[in-house]
Amino acid sequence: MKTPPFLDLDAIIDDPDTRIVVCCGSGGVGKTTTAAALGLRAAERGRSAVVLTVDPARRLAQSMGLTELDNTPRPVVGVEGEGRLHAMMLDMKRTFDEIIEAHADPERARQILTNPFYQSLSSSFSGTQEYMAMEKLGQLRRSDEWDLIIVDTPPSRSALDFLDAPERLGRFLDGKLIRVLMLPAKAGGRSAFKLFNAGFGIVAGALTKLLGAQVLKDLQTFVSALDAVFGGFRARADQTYRLLQAPGTAFVVVASPERDAMREASYFVERLAEERMPLAGLVVNRVHRSPASMLSGARSTAAAEDLESRGEHELTSAVLRLHADRMQLAARERREEEHFVSAHPTVPVARVPAMAQDVHDLEGLREVGDLLAAR
């Protein structure tokens, strides 16, 4: 396999011009642990860092010794060195509520926050979690309280959802349905309501089933308030999108050495290039290695079969077969990585060996950080 460039993560987090690191990739590949380890390593190398996670499993809180994480950055105790570290977990609903409260007068905010349609949108609309992660990132950056923000992107079906979410929510808010719903608020008289009913009749049945019998009244109330409040959504989304494209941002794609995860990583690298977003490189996580790599899997299997045929050394035979299985796994992982490298030969790569146990404290995160930086 052609050797790809080395992903020097220490150089990235040590660079004061690096203000945002986005850890992305498909679900279950170790993004949360990678983000937390980078945050701790950056803090212990002198940065003032905050880690924003959206992982509902709360592993980040546990590994950082915090009893809980919420929508407010919490200081992490036990950081060694001159830097400092905060961590937070995105509360999607709370973030949405904060936006309403910040951009509406109290009465209008109350109308929106208590509206059933808003409650459904803010809790379950496809892409809301990803969009709110972008909103929170923008808030953290504008506060200028930290010189490094590390984002653990949402666990979703596709790693691309994080980039697509602002546009998806923007299309919804700018869409034909919303424009039709705004007609009663923008025009008076029976003709306006006739037009409203005609335009809405096609989808009224489905929405009534989804949101209940009060859907028309709820929607009218919601949309009349939305017209005045939600105009800033797209502007802020565009601002954060430009922030992600800026030189001070670094995207770190995380993948396990498995076919689906590496394929998703390849898609994401290509998408970042299309969007002109700064890719730092790829972290191949949980790579399996063997301390006895000089002994091939085939030779190990042959030796085990020879011992078994003579009825000798059952324990040695079992160890040889375990070694053979591990060598076969390592070979499969190398092939998956080779596919990626052949398609993206200039993308820097860092490899993190599989650990014997899960990370559950700061010491474990330090070990992951050491592994991330090791050549």
Side-chain angles (χ1 to χ4, degrees):
M1 178 178 70
K2 180 181 177 181
T3 303
F6 172 67
L7 173 57
D8 190 346
L9 288 164
D10 276 351
I12 292 170
I13 61 176
D14 287 348
D15 185 351
D17 290 334
T18 301
R19 302 298 303 273
I20 297 172
V21 173
V22 182
C23 296
C24 51
S26 55
V29 296
K31 294 193 304 293
T32 300
T33 301
T34 300
L38 286 175
L40 178 62
R41 191 171 182 86
E44 296 191 331
R45 296 170 73 89
R47 301 296 298 269
S48 176
V50 59
V51 178
L52 166 63
T53 184
V54 291
D55 185 1
R58 301 184 184 275
R59 290 190 301 273
L60 182 62
Q62 296 169 0
S63 65
M64 291 186 168
L66 298 172
T67 56
E68 63 177 356
L69 285 181
D70 55 22
N71 223 36
T72 302
R74 305 285 181 181
V76 176
V77 178
V79 174
E80 300 172 355
E82 298 181 359
R84 64 189 182 109
L85 178 63
H86 285 72
M88 64 180 297
M89 185 171 71
L90 178 75
D91 184 328
M92 176 178 70
K93 179 70 165 60
R94 184 62 231 151
T95 300
F96 214 146
D97 291 351
E98 288 172 355
I99 295 169
I100 301 302
E101 292 164 352
H103 295 87
D105 60 74
E107 177 56 26
R108 192 177 294 273
R110 185 195 64 78
Q111 292 177 359
I112 297 175
L113 295 175
T114 58
N115 187 278
F117 187 69
Y118 167 76
Q119 292 173 355
S120 176
L121 173 72
S122 61
S123 301
S124 58
F125 182 75
S126 176
T128 301
Q129 186 181 52
E130 289 84 357
Y131 180 86
M132 289 304 143
M134 297 278 275
E135 279 275 358
K136 184 56 69 174
L137 169 60
Q139 291 175 13
L140 291 172
R141 185 65 183 87
R142 288 190 294 273
S143 76
D144 209 28
E145 185 175 347
W146 298 273
D147 60 34
L148 180 62
I149 302 167
I150 298 179
V151 183
D152 163 37
T153 55
S156 56
R157 181 191 58 79
S158 168
L160 304 181
D161 288 349
F162 182 68
L163 295 178
D164 288 335
E167 180 64 24
R168 189 185 312 130
L169 192 60
R171 283 199 306 268
F172 169 75
L173 296 173
D174 293 341
K176 292 180 180 179
L177 172 61
I178 293 298
R179 290 202 300 271
V180 168
L181 294 174
M182 284 181 180
L183 288 174
K186 291 187 174 182
R190 294 177 58 86
S191 60
F193 281 92
K194 286 181 180 179
L195 181 60
F196 169 76
N197 290 330
F200 188 66
I202 299 173
V203 294
L207 285 175
T208 300
K209 290 180 181 178
L210 176 65
L211 299 175
Q214 294 294 315
V215 63
L216 292 181
K217 181 180 178 182
D218 292 339
L219 280 171
Q220 284 179 272
T221 302
F222 171 73
V223 170
S224 64
L226 174 135
D227 188 35
V229 175
F230 280 66
F233 265 61
R234 182 176 290 280
R236 288 193 305 278
D238 291 343
Q239 184 180 16
T240 304
Y241 210 75
R242 289 193 297 272
L243 186 65
L244 291 175
Q245 291 177 317
T249 298
F251 278 84
V252 175
V253 180
V254 184
S256 56
E258 300 167 358
R259 179 170 300 175
D260 289 346
M262 294 298 287
R263 184 178 297 153
E264 192 78 11
S266 184
Y267 291 156
F268 206 103
V269 165
E270 292 163 8
R271 173 66 184 277
L272 290 172
E274 290 174 7
E275 302 291 337
R276 301 188 305 281
M277 291 190 173
L279 171 68
L282 171 72
V283 170
V284 185
N285 200 21
R286 302 170 188 155
V287 175
H288 290 88
R289 298 171 179 169
S290 173
S293 57
M294 297 300 293
L295 176 61
S296 70
R299 289 179 61 194
S300 183
T301 300
E305 290 174 348
D306 180 58
L307 290 173
E308 290 164 359
S309 68
R310 289 184 285 156
E312 300 176 355
H313 303 287
E314 292 183 4
L315 181 58
T316 303
S317 173
V319 170
L320 287 167
R321 287 199 175 275
L322 283 174
H323 173 72
D325 290 344
R326 191 174 184 91
M327 293 297 288
Q328 291 172 3
L329 175 60
R332 287 199 302 272
E333 291 179 349
R334 279 196 304 274
R335 286 195 295 272
E336 295 303 332
E337 187 178 336
E338 285 171 1
H339 291 320
F340 178 92
V341 172
S342 64
H344 309 284
T346 63
V347 173
V349 176
R351 299 176 184 85
V352 178
M355 299 178 66
Q357 59 185 11
D358 290 338
V359 175
H360 54 81
D361 55 19
L362 287 183
E363 194 55 45
L365 288 177
R366 285 192 187 96
E367 183 179 354
V368 173
D370 291 340
L371 293 171
L372 283 165
R375 287 182 178 269

